[in-house]
Amino acid sequence: MTPSESDADPAPDAAPLKLVLFDCDGTLVDSQHMIVAAMRDAHAAHGVALPDRDRLLSVVGLSLPEAFAMLSRGDLAYPVEALVDAYRTAFTRLRNAEPPEPMFEGAWEVLDALRRRDDVVLGMVTGKARRGVERVLKAHAMEGWFATIQTADDAPSKPHPAMVFQAMGEIGARPEETVVVGDTTYDVSMALQAGASALGVGWGYHEVAALERAGADHIVHRFDEVPAAIFDLLARRRAIAG
């Protein structure tokens, strides 16, 4: 089996437990419109020049304090804490006024197929706050699909591996049984530091070349490629382990 195959139900010859940890923004849902709008409002509220769109999207996936600290580029006059608060206020207002973030094409169907397998446990590792995650899950009828959810409320910001370690601890999964699926270099680094496999997706907020440089084990370009890629990566780990 190769990662290019799109079969969502490979032959059940694998280890009995597989933990698949999905990032949220940029991987499952396309939240860039709301994120950029909230960033714009936060910067305007404090009279701070707005970084360009690519730079704003480059920090998606980090916790808010880490994201704004990175946007500051070390400028001590950049009001990180005030911008964090203003962003939260703006995002809450936008979230209540606009439709929920849309899922990427094929995401819901693939998650639904994976969650029904006896040998797969789904989890989420995200820079979102837990409240935001709960809203996304409710909006897309996915409540109860993820056995472990690690958020910016629970652990240090990506790329610190704490979210993956906590998820593995909750489920009882080993690193060689775990795959992190994400769209940013922060997801890749987090996975590798935890000893898990890193599956990059090519439709998110970081360029494919950046994911490759970060050490992604494989990169997919359509959601229907995700299941086969997951099982291929896990099979490679079993082969290495002997």
Side-chain angles (χ1 to χ4, degrees):
M1 180 176 295
T2 66
S4 62
E5 293 175 324
S6 60
D7 182 8
D9 191 26
D13 60 351
L17 174 68
K18 306 174 186 70
L19 175 59
V20 185
L21 300 173
F22 284 91
D23 169 54
C24 188
D25 293 317
T27 300
L28 297 180
V29 299
D30 187 0
S31 50
Q32 62 176 303
H33 169 72
M34 199 174 295
I35 289 171
V36 171
M39 283 283 189
R40 182 189 61 236
D41 290 357
H43 283 78
H46 291 279
V48 180
L50 182 69
D52 64 53
R53 185 184 186 88
D54 287 345
R55 178 131 184 92
L56 293 176
L57 293 178
S58 75
V59 301
V60 175
L62 298 174
S63 68
L64 285 177
E66 289 288 335
F68 280 104
M70 185 169 288
L71 289 174
S72 77
R73 290 179 165 166
D75 181 359
L76 297 180
Y78 191 82
V80 170
E81 291 185 11
L83 287 169
V84 167
D85 290 340
Y87 177 93
R88 285 178 173 143
T89 299
F91 196 89
T92 297
R93 175 177 52 77
L94 291 165
R95 183 181 64 200
N96 293 334
E98 298 190 9
E101 303 95 312
M103 294 191 74
F104 287 103
E105 183 178 357
W108 194 94
E109 292 78 8
V110 166
L111 291 174
D112 188 39
L114 287 173
R115 77 181 179 94
R116 295 175 185 278
R117 292 182 59 109
D118 293 335
D119 58 344
V120 169
V121 177
L122 296 184
M124 187 179 291
V125 284
T126 174
K128 270 187 178 305
R130 184 165 291 273
R131 210 161 112 191
V133 171
E134 290 171 352
R135 177 179 181 270
V136 167
L137 297 181
K138 182 176 181 179
H140 295 289
M142 296 189 298
E143 292 172 296
W145 286 21
F146 297 88
T148 177
I149 299 174
Q150 306 298 324
T151 74
D153 300 333
D154 310 313
S157 176
K158 300 174 185 181
H160 193 287
M163 289 189 195
V164 179
F165 282 128
Q166 289 173 186
M168 291 190 298
E170 285 186 10
I171 301 304
R174 300 190 300 267
E176 60 270 23
E177 299 167 332
T178 302
V179 178
V180 175
V181 185
D183 69 303
T184 70
T185 59
Y186 314 126
D187 297 307
V188 173
S189 178
M190 175 180 65
L192 298 180
Q193 289 184 74
S197 297
L199 177 59
V201 304
W203 53 80
Y205 303 146
H206 284 191
E207 297 291 334
V208 167
L211 300 178
E212 292 171 341
R213 288 193 298 270
D217 293 298
H218 186 69
I219 296 173
V220 293
H221 300 276
R222 300 192 318 271
F223 228 104
D224 61 2
E225 297 174 338
V226 168
I230 288 169
F231 292 105
D232 182 76
L233 290 175
L234 293 170
R236 289 188 215 171
R237 293 292 293 269
R238 290 198 306 276
I240 292 171

